[in-house]
Amino acid sequence: MSTPEAAPRLPVFRLAPDIYAPLLALTRAAKKGLDPVLVELLLIRASQLNRCAFCLDMHVTDARKAGVSEERITLLSAWEEAPAHYTEKERAALAFTEAVTVLTAGFVPDEVYERAAAHFDDAELARLLALITAINSWNRLNVAARTPAGGVL
């Protein structure tokens, strides 16, 4: 069994550069029109769930640049227990992010979808879903390849 300190395994994007560009294009397209702070919160939360150190390092840095407070970044893994730190819209998007990322029951529950739909129009929901799908792809590629935090893709 490997340890978390294991050496990088595979430079996926160097070996298959044609994978990088479309995934980056999807990520950029998904972000269009969405609040940059909300985007970073969602990217961090999915990366926490997927235990992707590379993406966590990147998106925590980006969140700070976007003006997200240290307190909100620190409490993100327990956002449900810190309601005063996140708007209802952010909480709905975080619940949606978790449901799409984990898919524990094999689907996104109606109540989670409806909660998000109460705060986002259909086009925004489509972009959120694409963004969550993209970060999950980035996370899975980087975790499996053991891309180190602070490393280069």
Side-chain angles (χ1 to χ4, degrees), residues 90-125:
E90 289 169 340
R91 293 167 53 76
L94 288 164
F96 190 55
T97 299
E98 289 186 2
V100 173
T101 297
V102 178
L103 291 175
T104 305
F107 58 91
V108 175
D110 288 341
E111 58 272 12
V112 172
Y113 181 85
E114 290 163 8
R115 182 178 177 188
H119 294 278
F120 299 93
D121 65 29
D122 287 349
E124 291 169 323
L125 279 173

Side-chain angles (χ1 to χ4, degrees), residues 17 32 50 56 58 65 69 86 113-115 119 121 148:
K32 287 182 182 173
N50 290 321
L56 277 168
M58 176 191 311
K65 288 177 186 173
S69 71
Y86 306 96
Y113 181 85
E114 290 163 8
R115 182 178 177 188
H119 294 278
D121 65 29

Side-chain angles (χ1 to χ4, degrees), residues 3 19 24 27-28 30 34 36 48 54 65 67 88 91-92 100 121 128 130-131 139 143 150:
T3 64
I19 293 170
L24 185 59
T27 304
R28 287 179 175 159
L34 296 177
Q48 288 172 333
F54 179 86
K65 288 177 186 173
E88 185 53 39
R91 293 167 53 76
V100 173
D121 65 29
L128 285 176
L131 181 66
N139 290 164
V143 168

Side-chain angles (χ1 to χ4, degrees), residues 8-15 20 53-55 57-58 138 141-142 145-153:
R9 179 181 280 154
L10 185 68
V12 174
F13 301 110
R14 184 172 52 83
L15 295 169
Y20 181 84
F54 179 86
C55 292
D57 180 58
M58 176 191 311
W138 287 112
L141 286 164
N142 284 307
R146 292 189 186 147
T147 307
V152 178
L153 290 181

Side-chain angles (χ1 to χ4, degrees), residues 53-100:
F54 179 86
C55 292
L56 277 168
D57 180 58
M58 176 191 311
H59 294 296
V60 165
T61 298
D62 291 347
R64 288 178 180 132
K65 288 177 186 173
V68 180
S69 71
E70 288 300 317
E71 189 172 36
R72 282 172 35 100
I73 292 169
T74 300
L75 292 172
L76 194 52
S77 64
W79 65 269
E80 289 177 298
E81 298 167 21
H85 297 279
Y86 306 96
T87 67
E88 185 53 39
K89 185 175 186 175
E90 289 169 340
R91 293 167 53 76
L94 288 164
F96 190 55
T97 299
E98 289 186 2
V100 173

